[in-house]
Amino acid sequence: MKYFALLLLIPVFASAEIVSHNAGIYFDTDAHTVAVTDTLQIPDGVTEFVMNSKLEITGAEAIKTEDELTTYKCTPGQMIISYIGEFFANADDMVFSRENVGRELTATISDDGIYLSGGAYWLPMFEEAMVTHKLTINTPAGIEPVTQGVRTVVSKTDRQITIWDAKNPSDGLNLVAAKYFITERQFGDVTSYTYFLADEPKLVETYQTKTGEYLEMYNEMIGPYPYGKFATVESWFPSGYGMPSYTLLGGMVIRLPFIPDTSFGHEICHNWWGNSSFVDGDRGNWCEGLTVYCADYHYKTLLSAEDGREYRRTLLKDYASYVHGDLDFPISEFKERHSGATRAIGYGKTMMVFHMFDRMIGRDNFVKAMQDVWSSNSYAPVSWDHFIAAFSGYNSDITELGEQWLTRAGAPMIHLQDVESDGAKVTFTITQNEPVWDIEVPVVVGDAEHVLQINSASATFTLPTAGAKTLSVDPDYHVFRKLHAEEIEPTLSQIFGEEEPQFVIPSGLAGIQAKKFAEEWVEGEEFVTSDGTYDGHSRIFVNPSAETAAELLPENAQLAGSYMFLNGARYKLKENDIVLAIGNEFGKTDLIVFGHSYDALPKLAGRISHYGKYSHLIFPQRGRPQKGNWEIKESPLNRRIK
């Protein structure tokens, strides 16, 4: 199933050694080739580098070739190597997936554009060192290159020569070039660029304005922006990447209406977390969770407390949807996202751990601790230990609790039992499943919140009621925990988390297009069909008959002729695509998909991938989608009291 989220190409820190590149680069787009002469300054202790085996290299001695990569010997001092190589891939066949990272563009050189990622090993890669770059790039006239660093010289004749100088260390470099419309705006000492494939002033204004807002936000929250420029770059292929001092967004992604207010800011924030403070991966990748905390989650809290609460609940729902059995692991083992489960842990659980630390020491202290970690470790390795030490300076309990949350897989599941009240006070017991966790649990009696420490399988408490009529345990989802079934409504994410959903395909012409829907859903893998009989897997009913739909739909969603009635509103089936996640009698979630036409079905599979947290979606042929969630049942962690 296709999803969407921007990816940070994170440098996982290996060494304090710095290698400098000073490379002349010549592109021939007709021949799909790049020719490079690279003058390297090699420090002591760096003995080898790795490059793509397809490159014809002079000036270096090969040691071994393995998995299409060749390792070369190097010695301290100046080293000059030259090479040429051909890169071409059909970008039309590429897929940018939220979870299953693969089948994405690694390198291509053509008239459409140039893209060379670090994963193409087109420049020497050093496992023993970080690198700086000065690139003199020679491209056909009109082809504008962009990469990390600062554009210092531009010369345009029959060909274009552009110099990009990246003095800040990184673990590699991506380069993109195309026939761009470039705009430039100044925000203090930072130059903001847009590199778009079309002249679109409104789109430019949106991204330039948001860039200025995010730079101001994170200058205040974390510290001064660590680069001289930030560029928003459009690609002609599906992408959503964050690199030092720029982001690369595919044409579809960059025009999604929610991107400027969400994922775009996330990528700008990564210039502090991940790009200028490197991930020391020995204790896990903390970077994605902290960036979610400072970006995606922070934006929700700025809207309202309720939006922040719902964001936390969604993270807990994602954990329930995607993390099953042996898919679970401690956050200290998280390296990168490549599935729904790794995202739910590395992004979601990690964000919640930072949130719990925030509550333990207070927001002002939390922000000060973050700032101290960043300012003390610019362009240096940062591990979980740095954050634990900084937070523990305000609350020593975090030293032990941090170790628990970092090294243990899973999550606590808490229960409320034996609630008794005499009108003046209420006595109750909170239990948790084995093995027990040491947790701080908010309990709200009426309007009064009490934070209770629980580190045993069962603990009994007595609190004053002061006339309160309700008692709720963690009603605002401040604790990373396993939700009860009653706390989770059916959502699309539960289908996305199903390893092998079964497609119920109609017959005839409708079935042909329904199969294309299924192919898009599984991204070209084999899909499983079903006659609709439940056998333990979630089912996806694609354009089911009225009779089948009538047996499946909940009370607040009914078919009547050519109309769907949903929560009292009427929608014409021939004018809307309708997607409904529904609970079945076996405790699983099924999906019903109505395409307004047969031809609409294949594209619908990719479109709904952005809306996993919702229960129902309406896509009108014109206008923005309507989305919503079914109401959840009463939580077993809530009680009425005298």
Side-chain angles (χ1 to χ4, degrees):
M1 178 62 210
K2 289 188 290 188
Y3 297 79
F4 168 76
L6 298 183
L7 298 177
L8 169 68
L9 307 182
I10 300 175
V12 177
F13 196 89
S15 170
E17 304 295 343
I18 305 294
V19 172
S20 67
H21 291 268
N22 190 340
I25 302 169
Y26 185 98
F27 287 106
D28 185 336
T29 54
D30 292 332
H32 312 299
T33 60
V34 58
V36 180
T37 298
D38 193 357
T39 301
L40 301 160
Q41 295 294 332
I42 311 292
D44 291 337
V46 177
T47 59
E48 59 187 39
F49 60 86
V50 179
M51 296 194 72
N52 194 311
S53 298
K54 70 194 298 183
L55 298 170
E56 302 172 12
I57 298 176
T58 60
E61 177 185 346
I63 300 173
K64 63 179 180 179
T65 297
E66 188 176 16
D67 297 329
E68 300 182 350
L69 297 176
T70 300
T71 301
Y72 293 89
K73 180 181 178 181
C74 62
T75 55
Q78 180 173 288
M79 182 177 186
I80 301 175
I81 62 172
S82 298
Y83 52 92
I84 189 169
E86 179 181 342
F87 294 97
F88 178 73
N90 184 355
D92 294 337
D93 297 333
M94 301 302 162
V95 175
F96 184 74
S97 168
R98 183 184 186 188
E99 311 295 10
N100 304 307
V101 179
R103 297 168 58 218
E104 297 175 13
L105 192 63
T106 302
T108 191
I109 300 170
S110 73
D111 290 334
D112 290 332
I114 298 164
Y115 178 64
L116 296 176
S117 73
Y121 287 83
W122 67 284
L123 283 172
M125 297 285 284
F126 297 84
E127 293 187 3
E128 304 164 323
M130 305 297 280
V131 288
T132 62
H133 302 85
K134 183 176 182 180
L135 308 181
T136 302
I137 305 167
N138 190 315
T139 55
I143 301 293
E144 296 276 1
V146 61
T147 185
Q148 60 206 53
V150 176
R151 186 172 65 166
T152 57
V153 177
V154 175
S155 173
K156 299 181 180 181
T157 55
D158 57 330
R159 291 181 62 87
Q160 178 163 323
I161 297 175
T162 309
I163 297 177
W164 282 98
D165 197 356
K167 292 183 169 62
N168 299 312
S170 65
D171 72 333
L173 178 139
N174 290 29
L175 184 147
V176 62
K179 295 177 181 178
Y180 284 122
F181 291 85
I182 303 174
T183 72
E184 182 177 333
R185 192 169 298 183
Q186 204 68 26
F187 296 104
D189 295 332
V190 181
T191 304
S192 172
Y193 296 96
T194 61
Y195 283 72
F196 292 164
L197 295 172
D199 185 10
E200 299 183 60
K202 289 183 66 175
L203 193 67
V204 166
E205 185 61 31
T206 294
Y207 278 95
Q208 288 285 24
T209 299
K210 295 304 294 186
T211 296
E213 292 175 1
Y214 288 128
L215 291 176
E216 182 179 3
M217 175 185 292
Y218 294 121
N219 283 341
E220 180 178 347
M221 180 188 294
I222 307 171
Y225 181 69
Y227 299 101
K229 76 103 168 41
F230 182 81
T232 306
V233 185
E234 180 183 358
S235 64
W236 63 98
F237 55 90
S239 68
Y241 301 123
M243 281 79 75
S245 76
Y246 73 107
T247 186
L248 183 65
L249 306 177
M252 182 193 75
V253 167
I254 207 169
R255 290 168 178 80
L256 289 172
F258 56 85
I259 291 296
D261 295 318
T262 55
S263 302
F264 181 61
H266 179 111
E267 293 315 309
I268 291 181
C269 184
H270 263 314
N271 285 285
W272 283 264
W273 301 129
N275 284 334
S276 64
S277 53
F278 306 132
V279 175
D280 182 338
D282 287 344
R283 297 263 283 168
N285 177 358
W286 49 267
C287 173
E288 292 296 353
L290 183 56
T291 304
V292 170
Y293 173 87
C294 292
D296 314 66
Y297 173 62
H298 179 61
Y299 308 152
K300 293 296 184 181
T301 63
L302 292 177
L303 294 175
S304 70
E306 180 57 31
D307 282 291
R309 174 186 184 271
E310 190 59 28
Y311 192 92
R312 296 189 297 272
R313 189 173 82 93
T314 296
L315 295 184
L316 301 188
K317 290 193 298 180
D318 282 350
Y319 182 79
S321 297
Y322 293 107
V323 182
H324 313 288
D326 59 3
L327 295 178
D328 208 348
F329 59 88
I331 61 177
S332 60
E333 296 178 9
F334 173 65
K335 301 300 181 185
E336 61 183 1
R337 172 197 53 75
H338 54 78
S339 65
T342 52
R343 177 173 56 85
I345 295 168
Y347 289 58
K349 181 178 181 178
T350 303
M351 197 295 290
M352 286 295 295
V353 170
F354 280 112
H355 171 69
M356 289 186 289
F357 291 161
D358 179 340
R359 283 178 56 85
M360 290 182 69
I361 66 176
R363 176 58 53 86
D364 290 345
N365 291 336
F366 184 90
V367 170
K368 180 65 165 60
M370 279 199 312
Q371 293 172 342
D372 290 344
V373 170
W374 184 78
S375 63
S376 301
N377 298 279
S378 293
Y379 305 104
V382 177
S383 75
W384 269 109
D385 292 337
H386 289 88
F387 290 103
I388 297 299
F391 299 148
S392 296
Y394 298 99
N395 185 332
S396 59
D397 290 344
I398 287 180
T399 302
E400 186 173 343
L401 291 178
E403 195 67 18
Q404 167 191 255
W405 285 109
L406 263 62
T407 60
R408 285 184 59 177
M413 187 166 191
I414 55 180
H415 309 266
L416 176 62
Q417 299 176 350
D418 304 328
V419 179
E420 296 182 2
S421 174
D422 62 7
K425 61 184 182 299
V426 60
T427 299
F428 57 95
T429 298
I430 295 177
T431 64
Q432 60 170 312
N433 294 4
E434 299 278 0
V436 301
W437 294 70
D438 190 348
I439 49 179
E440 290 191 349
V441 180
V443 174
V444 179
V445 181
D447 295 327
E449 181 182 272
H450 309 265
V451 178
L452 307 179
Q453 191 79 26
I454 302 173
N455 54 20
S456 59
S458 178
T460 299
F461 302 92
T462 299
L463 295 173
T465 58
K469 300 183 183 301
T470 58
L471 181 148
S472 301
V473 177
D474 193 30
D476 294 322
Y477 307 96
H478 289 301
V479 180
F480 185 78
R481 58 183 175 88
K482 294 181 180 178
L483 296 176
H484 292 263
E486 296 89 342
E487 296 179 277
I488 308 173
E489 74 280 20
T491 63
L492 274 71
S493 65
Q494 291 149 27
I495 308 295
F496 299 159
E498 171 70 61
E499 291 187 16
E500 198 172 78
Q502 298 190 348
F503 294 85
V504 184
I505 305 293
S507 59
L509 179 60
I512 296 174
Q513 295 301 95
K515 288 179 180 178
K516 292 182 179 179
F517 172 93
E519 290 171 355
E520 287 293 318
W521 184 283
V522 300
E523 295 186 336
E525 302 294 332
E526 293 291 329
F527 63 87
V528 179
T529 60
S530 166
D531 63 1
T533 304
Y534 179 77
D535 69 351
H537 295 277
S538 294
R539 300 163 294 181
I540 300 177
F541 295 86
V542 186
N543 273 3
S545 66
E547 294 77 12
T548 299
E551 296 175 359
L552 300 169
L553 291 172
E555 291 183 359
N556 47 353
Q558 296 296 322
L559 276 180
S562 60
Y563 291 91
M564 166 72 73
F565 288 85
L566 179 62
N567 293 329
R570 186 179 72 168
Y571 301 95
K572 197 168 187 177
L573 293 173
K574 289 189 177 296
E575 295 178 357
N576 298 276
D577 297 322
I578 300 174
V579 182
L580 307 171
I582 55 172
N584 63 34
E585 59 185 301
F586 306 100
K588 293 278 283 188
T589 299
D590 294 325
L591 196 69
I592 300 179
V593 179
F594 295 100
H596 76 271
S597 69
Y598 296 151
D599 293 340
L601 283 172
K603 290 183 179 180
L604 186 58
R607 192 175 186 190
I608 66 177
S609 66
H610 308 300
Y611 300 95
K613 67 181 180 180
Y614 297 106
S615 301
H616 47 82
L617 303 170
I618 306 291
F619 294 108
Q621 292 186 55
R622 294 181 179 83
R624 292 195 173 187
Q626 301 175 37
K627 48 197 182 290
N629 289 78
W630 311 123
E631 290 186 10
I632 63 171
K633 301 175 182 178
E634 182 67 24
S635 169
L637 298 181
N638 296 338
R639 291 287 195 281
R640 300 282 300 176
I641 58 178
K642 292 181 181 179

mmCIF file of all heavy atoms in Angstrom, residues 521-553:
data_model
loop_
_atom_site.group_PDB
_atom_site.id
_atom_site.type_symbol
_atom_site.label_atom_id
_atom_site.label_comp_id
_atom_site.label_asym_id
_atom_site.label_seq_id
_atom_site.Cartn_x
_atom_site.Cartn_y
_atom_site.Cartn_z
ATOM 1 N N TRP A 521 -2.693 -0.842 -4.931
ATOM 2 C CA TRP A 521 -2.653 -0.937 -3.462
ATOM 3 C C TRP A 521 -1.396 -1.671 -3.002
ATOM 4 O O TRP A 521 -0.721 -1.248 -2.068
ATOM 5 C CB TRP A 521 -3.908 -1.652 -2.963
ATOM 6 C CG TRP A 521 -4.024 -1.722 -1.479
ATOM 7 C CD1 TRP A 521 -3.358 -2.555 -0.629
ATOM 8 C CD2 TRP A 521 -4.863 -0.915 -0.642
ATOM 9 N NE1 TRP A 521 -3.728 -2.335 0.670
ATOM 10 C CE2 TRP A 521 -4.651 -1.325 0.685
ATOM 11 C CE3 TRP A 521 -5.778 0.105 -0.903
ATOM 12 C CZ2 TRP A 521 -5.328 -0.760 1.759
ATOM 13 C CZ3 TRP A 521 -6.444 0.676 0.168
ATOM 14 C CH2 TRP A 521 -6.218 0.246 1.481
ATOM 15 N N VAL A 522 -1.096 -2.799 -3.643
ATOM 16 C CA VAL A 522 0.043 -3.616 -3.214
ATOM 17 C C VAL A 522 1.328 -3.238 -3.940
ATOM 18 O O VAL A 522 2.346 -3.907 -3.797
ATOM 19 C CB VAL A 522 -0.249 -5.122 -3.408
ATOM 20 C CG1 VAL A 522 -1.461 -5.541 -2.599
ATOM 21 C CG2 VAL A 522 -0.470 -5.465 -4.886
ATOM 22 N N GLU A 523 1.283 -2.161 -4.723
ATOM 23 C CA GLU A 523 2.466 -1.630 -5.401
ATOM 24 C C GLU A 523 3.147 -2.675 -6.277
ATOM 25 O O GLU A 523 4.371 -2.860 -6.245
ATOM 26 C CB GLU A 523 3.458 -1.055 -4.390
ATOM 27 C CG GLU A 523 2.917 0.146 -3.642
ATOM 28 C CD GLU A 523 3.958 0.788 -2.744
ATOM 29 O OE1 GLU A 523 4.917 0.113 -2.336
ATOM 30 O OE2 GLU A 523 3.805 1.980 -2.461
ATOM 31 N N GLY A 524 2.346 -3.380 -7.056
ATOM 32 C CA GLY A 524 2.909 -4.309 -8.021
ATOM 33 C C GLY A 524 3.167 -5.700 -7.489
ATOM 34 O O GLY A 524 3.518 -6.605 -8.248
ATOM 35 N N GLU A 525 3.014 -5.914 -6.171
ATOM 36 C CA GLU A 525 3.175 -7.253 -5.612
ATOM 37 C C GLU A 525 1.922 -8.082 -5.909
ATOM 38 O O GLU A 525 0.917 -7.583 -6.397
ATOM 39 C CB GLU A 525 3.415 -7.159 -4.099
ATOM 40 C CG GLU A 525 4.620 -6.320 -3.706
ATOM 41 C CD GLU A 525 5.939 -6.913 -4.144
ATOM 42 O OE1 GLU A 525 5.997 -8.162 -4.259
ATOM 43 O OE2 GLU A 525 6.888 -6.158 -4.383
ATOM 44 N N GLU A 526 1.996 -9.375 -5.571
ATOM 45 C CA GLU A 526 0.828 -10.226 -5.749
ATOM 46 C C GLU A 526 -0.250 -9.845 -4.733
ATOM 47 O O GLU A 526 0.049 -9.607 -3.564
ATOM 48 C CB GLU A 526 1.217 -11.692 -5.568
ATOM 49 C CG GLU A 526 2.145 -12.235 -6.649
ATOM 50 C CD GLU A 526 1.463 -12.348 -7.997
ATOM 51 O OE1 GLU A 526 0.229 -12.585 -8.005
ATOM 52 O OE2 GLU A 526 2.149 -12.184 -9.023
ATOM 53 N N PHE A 527 -1.489 -9.780 -5.167
ATOM 54 C CA PHE A 527 -2.579 -9.519 -4.224
ATOM 55 C C PHE A 527 -3.460 -10.759 -4.119
ATOM 56 O O PHE A 527 -3.503 -11.606 -5.014
ATOM 57 C CB PHE A 527 -3.392 -8.287 -4.632
ATOM 58 C CG PHE A 527 -4.101 -8.404 -5.953
ATOM 59 C CD1 PHE A 527 -5.369 -8.969 -6.042
ATOM 60 C CD2 PHE A 527 -3.503 -7.931 -7.123
ATOM 61 C CE1 PHE A 527 -6.026 -9.062 -7.251
ATOM 62 C CE2 PHE A 527 -4.151 -8.024 -8.337
ATOM 63 C CZ PHE A 527 -5.414 -8.592 -8.404
ATOM 64 N N VAL A 528 -4.150 -10.841 -2.987
ATOM 65 C CA VAL A 528 -4.971 -12.010 -2.672
ATOM 66 C C VAL A 528 -6.437 -11.641 -2.832
ATOM 67 O O VAL A 528 -6.885 -10.599 -2.329
ATOM 68 C CB VAL A 528 -4.704 -12.497 -1.231
ATOM 69 C CG1 VAL A 528 -5.582 -13.707 -0.901
ATOM 70 C CG2 VAL A 528 -3.228 -12.836 -1.055
ATOM 71 N N THR A 529 -7.177 -12.461 -3.530
ATOM 72 C CA THR A 529 -8.611 -12.229 -3.693
ATOM 73 C C THR A 529 -9.404 -13.141 -2.769
ATOM 74 O O THR A 529 -8.896 -14.152 -2.263
ATOM 75 C CB THR A 529 -9.042 -12.456 -5.144
ATOM 76 O OG1 THR A 529 -8.742 -13.809 -5.515
ATOM 77 C CG2 THR A 529 -8.336 -11.494 -6.075
ATOM 78 N N SER A 530 -10.655 -12.788 -2.565
ATOM 79 C CA SER A 530 -11.531 -13.539 -1.666
ATOM 80 C C SER A 530 -12.952 -13.480 -2.195
ATOM 81 O O SER A 530 -13.321 -12.537 -2.918
ATOM 82 C CB SER A 530 -11.462 -12.937 -0.254
ATOM 83 O OG SER A 530 -12.496 -13.411 0.573
ATOM 84 N N ASP A 531 -13.742 -14.488 -1.838
ATOM 85 C CA ASP A 531 -15.164 -14.442 -2.193
ATOM 86 C C ASP A 531 -15.963 -13.664 -1.165
ATOM 87 O O ASP A 531 -17.190 -13.589 -1.244
ATOM 88 C CB ASP A 531 -15.717 -15.857 -2.350
ATOM 89 C CG ASP A 531 -15.656 -16.660 -1.044
ATOM 90 O OD1 ASP A 531 -15.208 -16.103 -0.014
ATOM 91 O OD2 ASP A 531 -16.048 -17.847 -1.060
ATOM 92 N N GLY A 532 -15.271 -13.080 -0.188
ATOM 93 C CA GLY A 532 -15.934 -12.293 0.844
ATOM 94 C C GLY A 532 -16.074 -13.010 2.163
ATOM 95 O O GLY A 532 -16.429 -12.396 3.181
ATOM 96 N N THR A 533 -15.763 -14.303 2.187
ATOM 97 C CA THR A 533 -15.834 -15.059 3.437
ATOM 98 C C THR A 533 -14.672 -14.662 4.339
ATOM 99 O O THR A 533 -13.512 -14.638 3.904
ATOM 100 C CB THR A 533 -15.784 -16.570 3.165
ATOM 101 O OG1 THR A 533 -16.842 -16.920 2.273
ATOM 102 C CG2 THR A 533 -15.924 -17.355 4.463
ATOM 103 N N TYR A 534 -14.947 -14.377 5.581
ATOM 104 C CA TYR A 534 -13.900 -13.945 6.502
ATOM 105 C C TYR A 534 -13.041 -15.134 6.925
ATOM 106 O O TYR A 534 -13.555 -16.179 7.333
ATOM 107 C CB TYR A 534 -14.518 -13.286 7.743
ATOM 108 C CG TYR A 534 -13.478 -12.840 8.746
ATOM 109 C CD1 TYR A 534 -12.741 -11.683 8.526
ATOM 110 C CD2 TYR A 534 -13.217 -13.580 9.900
ATOM 111 C CE1 TYR A 534 -11.782 -11.266 9.433
ATOM 112 C CE2 TYR A 534 -12.264 -13.169 10.815
ATOM 113 C CZ TYR A 534 -11.538 -12.015 10.571
ATOM 114 O OH TYR A 534 -10.585 -11.611 11.464
ATOM 115 N N ASP A 535 -11.703 -14.970 6.834
ATOM 116 C CA ASP A 535 -10.804 -16.046 7.261
ATOM 117 C C ASP A 535 -9.640 -15.518 8.105
ATOM 118 O O ASP A 535 -8.567 -16.106 8.130
ATOM 119 C CB ASP A 535 -10.275 -16.809 6.049
ATOM 120 C CG ASP A 535 -9.319 -15.979 5.201
ATOM 121 O OD1 ASP A 535 -9.202 -14.763 5.469
ATOM 122 O OD2 ASP A 535 -8.681 -16.543 4.292
ATOM 123 N N GLY A 536 -9.875 -14.427 8.807
ATOM 124 C CA GLY A 536 -8.853 -13.889 9.696
ATOM 125 C C GLY A 536 -8.143 -12.661 9.163
ATOM 126 O O GLY A 536 -7.399 -12.006 9.899
ATOM 127 N N HIS A 537 -8.323 -12.326 7.883
ATOM 128 C CA HIS A 537 -7.681 -11.158 7.284
ATOM 129 C C HIS A 537 -8.723 -10.080 6.994
ATOM 130 O O HIS A 537 -9.882 -10.372 6.709
ATOM 131 C CB HIS A 537 -6.984 -11.543 5.982
ATOM 132 C CG HIS A 537 -5.842 -12.500 6.164
ATOM 133 N ND1 HIS A 537 -4.583 -12.095 6.514
ATOM 134 C CD2 HIS A 537 -5.785 -13.857 6.054
ATOM 135 C CE1 HIS A 537 -3.784 -13.141 6.597
ATOM 136 N NE2 HIS A 537 -4.488 -14.227 6.328
ATOM 137 N N SER A 538 -8.261 -8.837 7.030
ATOM 138 C CA SER A 538 -9.140 -7.740 6.628
ATOM 139 C C SER A 538 -9.504 -7.892 5.161
ATOM 140 O O SER A 538 -8.690 -8.323 4.341
ATOM 141 C CB SER A 538 -8.457 -6.389 6.861
ATOM 142 O OG SER A 538 -8.263 -6.143 8.236
ATOM 143 N N ARG A 539 -10.734 -7.528 4.843
ATOM 144 C CA ARG A 539 -11.220 -7.620 3.467
ATOM 145 C C ARG A 539 -11.416 -6.209 2.898
ATOM 146 O O ARG A 539 -11.807 -5.302 3.612
ATOM 147 C CB ARG A 539 -12.543 -8.387 3.422
ATOM 148 C CG ARG A 539 -12.446 -9.810 3.938
ATOM 149 C CD ARG A 539 -13.810 -10.384 4.271
ATOM 150 N NE ARG A 539 -14.433 -9.683 5.383
ATOM 151 C CZ ARG A 539 -15.635 -10.005 5.900
ATOM 152 N NH1 ARG A 539 -16.323 -11.013 5.383
ATOM 153 N NH2 ARG A 539 -16.128 -9.310 6.908
ATOM 154 N N ILE A 540 -11.150 -6.081 1.600
ATOM 155 C CA ILE A 540 -11.368 -4.823 0.898
ATOM 156 C C ILE A 540 -12.404 -5.088 -0.190
ATOM 157 O O ILE A 540 -12.122 -5.779 -1.174
ATOM 158 C CB ILE A 540 -10.061 -4.277 0.292
ATOM 159 C CG1 ILE A 540 -9.028 -4.029 1.406
ATOM 160 C CG2 ILE A 540 -10.329 -2.988 -0.474
ATOM 161 C CD1 ILE A 540 -7.681 -3.555 0.899
ATOM 162 N N PHE A 541 -13.600 -4.564 0.015
ATOM 163 C CA PHE A 541 -14.694 -4.747 -0.937
ATOM 164 C C PHE A 541 -14.655 -3.590 -1.932
ATOM 165 O O PHE A 541 -14.872 -2.433 -1.555
ATOM 166 C CB PHE A 541 -16.036 -4.764 -0.213
ATOM 167 C CG PHE A 541 -16.208 -5.936 0.723
ATOM 168 C CD1 PHE A 541 -15.736 -5.877 2.034
ATOM 169 C CD2 PHE A 541 -16.845 -7.093 0.303
ATOM 170 C CE1 PHE A 541 -15.896 -6.942 2.901
ATOM 171 C CE2 PHE A 541 -17.013 -8.169 1.166
ATOM 172 C CZ PHE A 541 -16.543 -8.100 2.463
ATOM 173 N N VAL A 542 -14.370 -3.893 -3.193
ATOM 174 C CA VAL A 542 -14.236 -2.859 -4.211
ATOM 175 C C VAL A 542 -15.505 -2.819 -5.055
ATOM 176 O O VAL A 542 -15.870 -3.802 -5.705
ATOM 177 C CB VAL A 542 -13.018 -3.122 -5.112
ATOM 178 C CG1 VAL A 542 -12.811 -1.952 -6.070
ATOM 179 C CG2 VAL A 542 -11.765 -3.345 -4.271
ATOM 180 N N ASN A 543 -16.212 -1.690 -4.998
ATOM 181 C CA ASN A 543 -17.498 -1.523 -5.688
ATOM 182 C C ASN A 543 -18.422 -2.727 -5.466
ATOM 183 O O ASN A 543 -18.836 -3.402 -6.415
ATOM 184 C CB ASN A 543 -17.279 -1.293 -7.188
ATOM 185 C CG ASN A 543 -17.054 0.170 -7.511
ATOM 186 O OD1 ASN A 543 -16.997 1.019 -6.629
ATOM 187 N ND2 ASN A 543 -16.913 0.483 -8.796
ATOM 188 N N PRO A 544 -18.725 -2.993 -4.189
ATOM 189 C CA PRO A 544 -19.595 -4.148 -3.920
ATOM 190 C C PRO A 544 -21.020 -3.890 -4.402
ATOM 191 O O PRO A 544 -21.429 -2.738 -4.599
ATOM 192 C CB PRO A 544 -19.538 -4.268 -2.403
ATOM 193 C CG PRO A 544 -19.305 -2.865 -1.932
ATOM 194 C CD PRO A 544 -18.393 -2.256 -2.967
ATOM 195 N N SER A 545 -21.778 -4.959 -4.556
ATOM 196 C CA SER A 545 -23.186 -4.829 -4.923
ATOM 197 C C SER A 545 -23.952 -4.185 -3.777
ATOM 198 O O SER A 545 -23.493 -4.157 -2.626
ATOM 199 C CB SER A 545 -23.779 -6.197 -5.230
ATOM 200 O OG SER A 545 -23.815 -6.994 -4.045
ATOM 201 N N ALA A 546 -25.131 -3.665 -4.094
ATOM 202 C CA ALA A 546 -25.963 -3.031 -3.062
ATOM 203 C C ALA A 546 -26.307 -4.024 -1.965
ATOM 204 O O ALA A 546 -26.352 -3.668 -0.776
ATOM 205 C CB ALA A 546 -27.225 -2.462 -3.701
ATOM 206 N N GLU A 547 -26.552 -5.283 -2.344
ATOM 207 C CA GLU A 547 -26.912 -6.300 -1.364
ATOM 208 C C GLU A 547 -25.745 -6.575 -0.411
ATOM 209 O O GLU A 547 -25.929 -6.670 0.808
ATOM 210 C CB GLU A 547 -27.330 -7.599 -2.070
ATOM 211 C CG GLU A 547 -28.608 -7.495 -2.877
ATOM 212 C CD GLU A 547 -28.403 -6.786 -4.212
ATOM 213 O OE1 GLU A 547 -27.222 -6.576 -4.611
ATOM 214 O OE2 GLU A 547 -29.413 -6.413 -4.849
ATOM 215 N N THR A 548 -24.529 -6.701 -0.978
ATOM 216 C CA THR A 548 -23.354 -6.941 -0.128
ATOM 217 C C THR A 548 -23.095 -5.749 0.782
ATOM 218 O O THR A 548 -22.827 -5.908 1.981
ATOM 219 C CB THR A 548 -22.111 -7.205 -1.001
ATOM 220 O OG1 THR A 548 -22.343 -8.363 -1.796
ATOM 221 C CG2 THR A 548 -20.878 -7.415 -0.152
ATOM 222 N N ALA A 549 -23.182 -4.543 0.218
ATOM 223 C CA ALA A 549 -22.923 -3.343 1.013
ATOM 224 C C ALA A 549 -23.915 -3.214 2.159
ATOM 225 O O ALA A 549 -23.547 -2.826 3.278
ATOM 226 C CB ALA A 549 -22.974 -2.104 0.126
ATOM 227 N N ALA A 550 -25.174 -3.552 1.898
ATOM 228 C CA ALA A 550 -26.208 -3.435 2.937
ATOM 229 C C ALA A 550 -25.899 -4.314 4.140
ATOM 230 O O ALA A 550 -26.220 -3.964 5.277
ATOM 231 C CB ALA A 550 -27.568 -3.785 2.344
ATOM 232 N N GLU A 551 -25.246 -5.454 3.899
ATOM 233 C CA GLU A 551 -24.900 -6.357 4.997
ATOM 234 C C GLU A 551 -23.712 -5.852 5.813
ATOM 235 O O GLU A 551 -23.527 -6.265 6.954
ATOM 236 C CB GLU A 551 -24.574 -7.738 4.435
ATOM 237 C CG GLU A 551 -25.757 -8.419 3.745
ATOM 238 C CD GLU A 551 -25.346 -9.737 3.110
ATOM 239 O OE1 GLU A 551 -24.139 -10.083 3.213
ATOM 240 O OE2 GLU A 551 -26.210 -10.406 2.523
ATOM 241 N N LEU A 552 -22.920 -4.972 5.219
ATOM 242 C CA LEU A 552 -21.672 -4.538 5.846
ATOM 243 C C LEU A 552 -21.749 -3.169 6.507
ATOM 244 O O LEU A 552 -21.087 -2.928 7.521
ATOM 245 C CB LEU A 552 -20.554 -4.501 4.798
ATOM 246 C CG LEU A 552 -20.215 -5.815 4.095
ATOM 247 C CD1 LEU A 552 -19.296 -5.541 2.908
ATOM 248 C CD2 LEU A 552 -19.553 -6.783 5.055
ATOM 249 N N LEU A 553 -22.543 -2.270 5.949
ATOM 250 C CA LEU A 553 -22.508 -0.876 6.372
ATOM 251 C C LEU A 553 -23.058 -0.682 7.777
ATOM 252 O O LEU A 553 -24.025 -1.337 8.172
ATOM 253 C CB LEU A 553 -23.307 -0.011 5.392
ATOM 254 C CG LEU A 553 -22.707 0.148 3.994
ATOM 255 C CD1 LEU A 553 -23.687 0.848 3.066
ATOM 256 C CD2 LEU A 553 -21.399 0.938 4.064
#
